[in-house]
Amino acid sequence: MTSLSPGRGRTGTPQPGRTDPAVIRNFCIIAHIDHGKSTLADRMLQMTGVVDGRAMRAQYLDRMDIERERGITIKSQAVRMPWTVGGVDSPTVHVLNMIDTPGHVDFTYEVSRSLAACEGAVLLVDAAQGIEAQTLANLYLAIEADLHIIPVLNKIDLPGAQPEKYAAELAGIIGCDPAEVLRVSAKTGEGVVELLDQIARQIPGPVGDPASPARALIFDSVYDTYRGVVTYVRVVDGELSHRERVLMMSTKATHETLEVGVISPEPLKANALGVGEVGYLITGVKEVRQSRVGDTITSAAKPARQSLGGYRHPNPMVYSGLFPIDGGDYPELREALEKLQLNDAALVYEPEISGALGFGFRIGFLGLLHMEIVRERLEREFDLALISTAPSVVYRVQMEDGRELRVTNPSEYPTDGKIAAVFEPMVKATILSPATYIGTILELCQARRGVQRGLDYLSEDRVEIRYTLPLAEIVFDFFDALKSRTKGYASLDYEPSGEEQSDLVKVDILLQGEPVDAFSSIVHKDKAYSYGLMMSGKLKDLIPRQQFEVPIQAAIGARVIARETIRAIRKDVLAKCYGGDITRKRKLLEKQKEGKKRMKMVGRVEVPQEAFVAALSTTEPTKADKK
């Protein structure tokens, strides 16, 4: 077993800004959730000596509590490590810049920008589980970015590890020899020294022109309470120096660099960042939106003519309403969202009023995990109790009079005029699973209006299934159904794939003839009846009985498609009528019936908050890390 003592010394570590690009190695680690990416990063930090044993803790680079609890990476991190290949006698000290990237599909854009800042990638795969769907998706992104791939099998110390089997699978995907696949144990440190040597040997140094105008790619930005936005950059050409005016090429905003430096893994101030360097700069900007991921930074005095490209505005994929359970918490929720937006440039929100839930916000998210994390951070960091409505996607509705509407909320669905066509967003889904579950996966995808695009065997017992599916079918409970049908072995990845025309209708839920907007949903025509039946049946169980009869109806426009009735609470008015004339009993019952009718005219059905929470729970995103 390899010892975990700091390796190969830190003497002669090159200073930032004056480092020869030939000794710089910029790389990232591509891995699925729980395949040991953060543990491997921990071992690298220890063996290169940048973190001493006393300061070391598990998941060192995951700074957020949610990241540490769930074992997932939400924000990418960059760290600079010195490494001497072949031992301390070697004169060359390499600078390894590791960019730790998120692994989840919701953050694919961040991953693609992080990959653009690297020349190589370590493909890390669990030796007991094999490659997963999201790892495969990020691998394809790395190959498209023309990165050098180093395949690595982790967790070889596990009793269930099958390194020979999965080395052959990896070799088949990448096109290398199984003997070239490195075997490590990030937990014990076995093989990590050899991996660091191979990173220094195999990954090419960065290429750039030091004499050209400065160009640097923003691959991440985080908000610091005391210093404002800290922007992580990779310098491609020229040099970014301290106290220099810089220009953001997409927003045309200019700022002054108050500080530049590198992260090793704590910030180290420097005078400048040169070609190939990965570091940070602080400009005093107070919002992450002013320092967007994918933008190009250049010198304001001598600007570059062309940006580095690849920048795009992050567009929300899923919308949901968030409402405080206590209506008096609305100002606190607004303030919490403003603070959270300082940290998260992809967060989009606008005020929304619901007749049933009161004042709240309609929030756009990158995906289900993003939605779950935002809600959890709001509840935990700002001590708020929230109800979220069913997640919905963005529909494009064309009216016969030529109007075109963008619908993010069922309440926005047009009721005035005839609808010519409704378009819904589609996704390309990739499912990796053991071959024994092919039948049940195909059945699930067909039931969710999927169109099969391909099926390939990665090895004799593992299969890759590709489908085109409506995004609305995935945001409901697709992942839960997939996991339960495959006993947790299948993994899912998806990416946007344009939009298609579809036969969609809006189902309203009416209580005593009045629509309750929180329960409305836009569904496919074939599933409208089952949705109406499910919601009306659920509400019948959740809403307490009133003094009068309450009908619960599901309707498409004016046509009722399902109905349940909450029976009235009846007082036994005949209890005192023992014996005697039947006409007296009938008179009392008629009197009670008249009273009930009068009460129904003036009575209002109160839906308790618990009923909203329980009724909407089926349409909430899945728990833990739904990946």
Side-chain angles (χ1 to χ4, degrees):
M1 188 187 292
T2 311
S3 72
L4 295 184
S5 57
R8 317 242 172 121
R10 296 194 65 188
T11 53
T13 304
Q15 289 301 306
R18 291 172 180 80
T19 309
D20 180 2
V23 300
I24 296 175
R25 299 289 181 267
N26 296 323
F27 73 99
C28 61
I29 303 174
I30 296 171
H32 192 72
I33 292 93
D34 205 32
H35 278 212
K37 178 170 62 173
S38 295
T39 310
L40 180 63
D42 290 348
R43 292 295 80 73
M44 288 180 170
L45 293 174
Q46 256 181 302
M47 290 185 171
T48 54
V50 294
V51 179
D52 62 33
R54 289 172 301 173
M56 194 65 207
R57 63 166 195 266
Q59 292 169 255
Y60 191 88
L61 294 177
D62 289 343
R63 304 298 170 90
M64 288 161 64
D65 288 341
I66 294 175
E67 289 182 313
R68 301 176 65 76
E69 282 173 25
R70 294 185 175 212
I72 59 173
T73 301
I74 297 165
K75 293 297 288 180
S76 36
Q77 298 284 344
V79 63
R80 178 188 177 99
M81 302 175 290
W83 187 250
T84 309
V85 179
V88 291
D89 299 331
S90 174
T92 307
V93 181
H94 286 90
V95 173
L96 309 183
N97 286 318
M98 179 180 67
I99 297 167
D100 189 19
T101 58
H104 194 269
V105 59
D106 289 7
F107 308 109
T108 301
Y109 175 57
E110 277 193 29
V111 173
S112 70
R113 295 301 84 212
S114 296
L115 294 175
C118 301
E119 279 75 39
V122 172
L123 176 64
L124 191 70
V125 173
D126 189 326
Q129 292 182 23
I131 200 160
E132 304 276 10
Q134 277 143 15
T135 317
L136 202 60
N138 288 344
L139 171 63
Y140 293 151
L141 284 176
I143 292 169
E144 279 173 29
D146 202 23
L147 302 192
H148 180 86
I149 311 292
I150 299 177
V152 179
L153 283 175
N154 189 22
K155 304 189 185 182
I156 57 167
D157 57 312
L158 289 180
Q162 297 173 281
E164 300 307 320
K165 175 186 172 182
Y166 292 122
E169 186 177 295
L170 269 179
I173 293 167
I174 298 170
C176 67
D177 193 87
E180 294 174 31
V181 179
L182 300 177
R183 293 160 172 78
V184 305
S185 168
K187 188 176 181 181
T188 64
E190 184 183 347
V192 178
V193 168
E194 290 76 9
L195 172 58
L196 287 164
D197 283 349
Q198 290 306 318
I199 289 169
R201 286 187 182 122
Q202 291 187 32
I203 293 174
V207 178
D209 184 359
S212 292
R215 287 197 302 170
L217 172 74
I218 300 176
F219 63 84
D220 198 19
S221 55
V222 293
Y223 179 74
D224 184 279
T225 313
Y226 303 104
R227 315 186 76 184
V229 175
V230 180
T231 305
Y232 294 119
V233 296
R234 150 74 197 272
V235 180
V236 176
D237 294 322
E239 186 177 272
L240 287 177
S241 54
H242 179 59
R243 289 291 177 186
E244 175 187 11
R245 285 207 73 77
V246 292
L247 169 73
M248 309 287 181
M249 291 187 79
S250 73
T251 59
K252 304 299 180 194
T254 59
H255 308 286
E256 186 181 3
T257 55
L258 305 177
E259 183 178 318
V260 297
V262 298
I263 296 154
S264 184
E266 302 306 322
L268 289 176
K269 202 170 172 181
N271 292 324
L273 293 173
V275 170
E277 293 265 31
V278 173
Y280 70 90
L281 56 94
I282 296 170
T283 56
V285 168
K286 295 297 179 194
E287 285 187 33
V288 174
R289 283 179 296 176
Q290 292 175 270
S291 187
R292 288 190 182 274
V293 172
D295 203 352
T296 303
I297 296 181
T298 187
S299 168
K302 190 186 173 187
R305 290 184 181 179
Q306 197 172 1
S307 70
L308 294 165
Y311 171 77
R312 66 179 174 83
H313 192 81
N315 288 321
M317 295 269 285
V318 177
Y319 283 83
S320 176
L322 271 185
F323 297 85
I325 286 178
D326 180 357
D329 286 343
Y330 176 76
E332 283 82 358
L333 176 59
R334 183 178 57 215
E335 199 176 308
L337 283 168
E338 284 171 6
K339 286 180 180 174
L340 204 59
Q341 202 173 41
L342 296 174
N343 264 306
D344 191 345
L347 192 66
V348 179
Y349 65 90
E350 59 183 29
E352 182 181 41
I353 301 171
S354 162
L357 299 172
F359 289 94
F361 290 92
R362 191 87 191 153
I363 306 179
F365 305 96
L366 297 175
L368 288 186
L369 181 74
H370 187 220
M371 172 179 169
E372 198 178 338
I373 284 163
V374 166
R375 180 178 168 173
E376 193 167 329
R377 286 186 70 184
L378 285 169
E379 290 185 330
R380 186 184 295 193
E381 295 174 23
F382 302 98
D383 198 26
L384 293 166
L386 303 170
I387 295 176
S388 65
T389 59
S392 64
V393 298
V394 185
Y395 298 100
R396 187 165 61 87
V397 181
Q398 285 182 348
M399 308 297 288
E400 285 194 347
D401 59 8
R403 287 182 298 150
E404 189 167 288
L405 305 172
R406 185 171 169 272
V407 176
T408 62
N409 185 352
S411 62
E412 295 171 0
Y413 201 77
T415 51
D416 54 327
K418 278 197 165 185
I419 295 170
V422 184
F423 295 88
E424 66 176 337
M426 306 296 288
V427 294
K428 286 179 184 171
T430 304
I431 300 166
L432 260 64
S433 165
T436 47
Y437 301 113
I438 289 177
T440 187
I441 293 170
L442 296 184
E443 186 189 336
L444 173 66
C445 293
Q446 293 299 135
R448 298 303 176 94
R449 300 188 283 132
V451 177
Q452 191 174 338
R453 293 186 299 113
L455 190 152
D456 294 316
Y457 279 84
L458 300 177
S459 62
E460 58 187 41
D461 61 348
R462 272 170 69 79
V463 68
E464 177 189 352
I465 303 167
R466 296 184 301 282
Y467 260 89
T468 300
L469 287 154
L471 179 61
E473 296 288 351
I474 284 183
V475 302
F476 198 69
D477 60 352
F478 183 84
F479 192 80
D480 273 349
L482 178 68
K483 283 291 183 187
S484 62
R485 283 170 181 243
T486 60
K487 299 181 182 172
Y489 283 110
S491 62
L492 168 74
D493 184 81
Y494 60 88
E495 61 180 55
S497 173
E499 57 182 21
E500 281 184 16
Q501 187 173 340
S502 195
D503 196 0
L504 300 170
V505 292
K506 178 190 174 187
V507 179
D508 282 314
I509 303 296
L510 290 80
L511 282 181
Q512 216 179 325
E514 291 293 317
V516 182
D517 55 355
F519 299 134
S520 298
S521 185
I522 298 168
V523 296
H524 192 266
K525 198 172 182 179
D526 296 343
K527 298 198 174 180
Y529 174 70
S530 57
Y531 176 80
L533 208 61
M534 182 265 293
M535 281 305 279
S536 51
K538 190 169 253 215
L539 289 173
K540 183 188 177 185
D541 297 333
L542 293 168
I543 296 173
R545 290 171 74 184
Q546 314 284 321
Q547 290 281 347
F548 48 90
E549 192 176 88
V550 179
I552 303 168
Q553 297 166 308
I556 300 171
R559 185 165 62 91
V560 174
I561 57 169
R563 173 182 168 131
E564 293 283 354
T565 305
I566 301 172
R567 311 305 313 179
I569 300 172
R570 293 176 69 104
K571 181 183 172 187
D572 188 0
V573 292
L574 302 181
K576 57 182 182 279
C577 294
Y578 43 90
D581 190 355
I582 187 68
T583 55
R584 185 167 171 229
K585 293 180 183 177
R586 193 170 289 131
K587 188 178 173 186
L588 281 167
L589 287 171
E590 288 296 327
K591 193 176 178 185
Q592 186 191 45
K593 194 197 275 184
E594 286 297 319
K596 297 280 182 197
K597 198 181 287 180
R598 230 176 9 257
M599 196 181 286
K600 188 171 184 176
M601 288 167 67
V602 296
R604 186 165 171 269
V605 183
E606 291 291 338
V607 183
Q609 291 288 12
E610 300 77 45
F612 279 111
V613 175
L616 295 171
S617 63
T618 54
T619 53
E620 283 192 348
T622 54
K623 288 167 93 170
D625 27 354
K626 244 193 178 194
K627 308 168 191 69

